[in-house]
Amino acid sequence: KTFNAHGLYLRRAQEPGIYKLYVVSHSALESIQVFTIDGKGSEPSLSWTGCVPMPEGNKAYPNLGSQATSSRVAANAVAAFSDGTIIATVPQRPGTTNAQRLRGEPTGDVVEWKPGTDAFHVVPGTQLAGNNGIEISLDEKEFYVVSFGTHTVVIFSREDPRKPLRQSVAPGFMPDNLRWSDNRLIAAGPMYDEP
């Protein structure tokens, strides 16, 4: 009754007909919920396999002092690598505003969780104006992050994300979401003049 899904990411598992579904959840526990989808039968089945809570603001951002409370930061989009590493976007870290994001000021981050670790941590270098959609390159060497406030898609190296590799400005719209369609990366979002 309290499930509140936001960003979704579907990843094919090694076993044919099996998929992992990663869901940004804004329910009682801000988290990334993980499900297994079994598509081998006549009807697909969905089973919950676990979750990774989003970090508390004061733990993810200890340098912010009183601006970062113990409330968990909210994710927007999620993606997962084949090794189980989960990355998610945080559009607004504690102490930032939506007005700052829309002015193009850095307000967000990418956070990462690796299997065997106890929590998400902020990925240094991924501070953008409203980190929004996220996607992984087909070879898993890069990841793409929407900077909503600057209307760009920023590309980072998975090996060393401290400085963006390159970026692409959206032609006439504000990108929000990213997804692959075969070997093409598709961005979707509102037009500039949309109310």
Side-chain angles (χ1 to χ4, degrees):
K1 291 182 179 179
T2 63
F3 190 69
N4 184 355
H6 193 139
L8 303 170
Y9 190 78
L10 186 66
R11 173 164 209 95
R12 186 173 288 148
Q14 289 184 351
E15 183 181 346
I18 303 295
Y19 301 84
K20 288 284 187 187
L21 177 65
Y22 299 83
V23 181
V24 172
S25 175
H26 299 310
S27 58
L29 177 65
E30 281 285 341
S31 58
I32 304 300
Q33 300 288 325
V34 184
F35 300 87
T36 298
I37 298 176
D38 185 340
K40 294 184 291 188
S42 59
E43 275 189 32
S45 64
L46 178 76
S47 57
W48 181 78
T49 56
C51 75
V52 182
M54 290 300 293
E56 294 173 358
N58 56 359
K59 291 181 180 171
Y61 304 99
N63 58 330
L64 293 180
S66 62
Q67 287 182 318
T69 67
S70 61
S71 297
R72 296 189 184 279
V73 297
N76 182 288
V78 62
F81 291 94
S82 58
D83 66 3
T85 298
I86 299 171
I87 53 176
T89 56
V90 174
Q92 288 183 227
R93 76 181 71 83
T96 63
T97 67
N98 193 43
Q100 288 174 301
R101 171 173 49 168
L102 295 176
R103 283 194 305 259
E105 299 172 25
T107 60
D109 299 284
V110 172
V111 294
E112 177 184 68
W113 174 84
K114 292 182 182 226
T117 61
D118 60 351
F120 276 102
H121 73 275
V122 173
V123 178
T126 61
Q127 293 67 45
L128 303 173
N131 298 46
N132 204 325
I134 194 164
E135 185 57 276
I136 295 168
S137 66
L138 298 176
D139 63 7
E140 298 195 3
K141 292 181 179 178
E142 298 174 345
F143 59 95
Y144 308 89
V145 183
V146 168
S147 175
F148 191 77
T150 59
H151 317 156
T152 58
V153 176
V154 183
I155 298 93
F156 294 92
S157 163
R158 184 179 183 195
E159 187 177 308
D160 184 6
R162 291 175 291 179
K163 185 178 178 188
L165 297 172
R166 57 195 181 281
Q167 64 183 15
S168 179
V169 177
F173 75 105
M174 299 173 79
D176 187 323
N177 296 305
L178 297 172
R179 284 297 173 255
W180 285 106
S181 176
D182 294 321
N183 63 349
R184 294 179 62 196
L185 188 63
I186 306 294
M191 302 301 291
Y192 293 147
D193 61 352
E194 190 169 321

